[in-house]
Amino acid sequence: MKTWILGLVVVLASGVAWAEEEPAITMDKGIEHILGYYLTIRSSLASDSLKGVKEDAGHIIEMADEMAKIKHGTSEEENKKHQEKIADLKAQAEKLKGDKIEDVRQGFSDLSNHLIECLTKCSTSEKEYYVYYCSMVKKYWIQENKEIGNPYYGSKMLKCGELKETIGGKSKGGCPFTKSEMMPKERTKGCCM
């Protein structure tokens, strides 16, 4: 009888552990994965193509779901803000599933602002990325190299863009998720997780 009760306790304790799903990824690794899909999408848009964009947007949403499992901050309020930022990220990625390249490019702009903020203030990645600005559409984007490939105009103006800053590398001052710091006014849409 004691063995049976002990076995039941072990099974119940295991069930509780399974119910509290642990995140399979850290916040930094999640951002890096999302950035990988983002960079592929940027390349497609610069080539005037939507090939693979819906799938990559789906992967971004899946990664955001994993990141939502991470408790962030030390208070319930901070964690609530974290969940709101994840929801924003998912909404931005959802816009990339459109069938019209113009609509996808607009969603890409919103996602770009979000990721620029993350890499500027939250990233502990040692890899550097480059932020470009297109003055024709007044929008930013991120690239992994310095060869301009404008995702907003594609072949019409592929080389239109100005390097604005290098981001990534070391974190630059704390995550705005837990602080009220914001980026310059023209890039306030989106915020780090």
Side-chain angles (χ1 to χ4, degrees), residues 15 31 51 53 65 76 83 109 117 123 150:
I31 291 170
K51 185 177 180 183
V53 171
D65 285 337
E76 194 58 42
Q83 295 304 321
S109 172
E117 176 115 20
S123 177
N150 187 321

Side-chain angles (χ1 to χ4, degrees), residues 29-88:
K29 290 295 182 190
I31 291 170
E32 287 293 320
H33 283 293
I34 287 171
L35 190 58
Y37 295 117
Y38 166 92
L39 292 171
T40 302
I41 292 169
R42 187 218 51 88
S43 183
S44 293
L45 293 176
S47 299
D48 298 318
S49 173
L50 291 178
K51 185 177 180 183
V53 171
K54 286 182 183 182
E55 293 81 8
D56 287 335
H59 291 304
I60 290 172
I61 291 167
E62 289 171 6
M63 187 56 56
D65 285 337
E66 282 300 311
M67 292 168 65
K69 296 174 187 174
I70 301 170
K71 183 166 171 51
H72 195 81
T74 57
S75 71
E76 194 58 42
E77 183 179 329
E78 288 174 338
N79 195 50
K80 181 181 176 189
K81 288 180 185 178
H82 167 71
Q83 295 304 321
E84 290 169 0
K85 300 303 177 191
I86 294 290
D88 288 345

Side-chain angles (χ1 to χ4, degrees), residues 10-183:
V10 169
V11 169
L12 289 174
S14 298
V16 170
W18 292 329
E20 290 181 17
E21 198 172 351
E22 286 292 318
I25 197 153
T26 65
M27 194 64 75
D28 282 337
K29 290 295 182 190
I31 291 170
E32 287 293 320
H33 283 293
I34 287 171
L35 190 58
Y37 295 117
Y38 166 92
L39 292 171
T40 302
I41 292 169
R42 187 218 51 88
S43 183
S44 293
L45 293 176
S47 299
D48 298 318
S49 173
L50 291 178
K51 185 177 180 183
V53 171
K54 286 182 183 182
E55 293 81 8
D56 287 335
H59 291 304
I60 290 172
I61 291 167
E62 289 171 6
M63 187 56 56
D65 285 337
E66 282 300 311
M67 292 168 65
K69 296 174 187 174
I70 301 170
K71 183 166 171 51
H72 195 81
T74 57
S75 71
E76 194 58 42
E77 183 179 329
E78 288 174 338
N79 195 50
K80 181 181 176 189
K81 288 180 185 178
H82 167 71
Q83 295 304 321
E84 290 169 0
K85 300 303 177 191
I86 294 290
D88 288 345
L89 175 70
K90 289 172 63 174
Q92 292 159 1
E94 198 64 49
K95 293 177 189 176
L96 302 179
K97 292 184 170 186
D99 293 324
K100 294 182 180 179
I101 199 161
E102 300 83 19
D103 296 338
V104 173
R105 284 176 166 151
Q106 178 56 48
F108 183 78
S109 172
D110 295 338
L111 183 60
S112 295
N113 292 333
H114 193 110
L115 291 175
I116 291 167
E117 176 115 20
C118 285
L119 289 173
T120 301
K121 295 189 175 181
C122 299
S123 177
T124 59
S125 169
E126 302 227 354
K127 185 171 171 73
E128 292 185 332
Y129 297 94
Y130 306 97
V131 176
Y132 284 88
Y133 178 72
C134 176
S135 60
M136 300 297 289
V137 291
K138 297 179 177 35
K139 295 179 181 178
Y140 293 88
W141 78 90
I142 303 168
Q143 287 193 199
E144 68 277 22
N145 57 48
K146 290 186 177 180
E147 185 178 331
I148 299 173
N150 187 321
Y152 302 113
Y153 278 110
S155 62
K156 291 179 186 173
M157 298 177 85
L158 186 62
K159 301 298 178 190
C160 177
E162 177 185 351
L163 178 61
K164 287 295 190 178
E165 63 185 306
T166 301
I167 58 175
K170 296 182 180 177
S171 181
K172 301 206 172 40
C175 183
F177 167 70
T178 56
K179 296 183 178 185
S180 61
E181 300 170 23
M182 290 301 291
M183 296 180 66

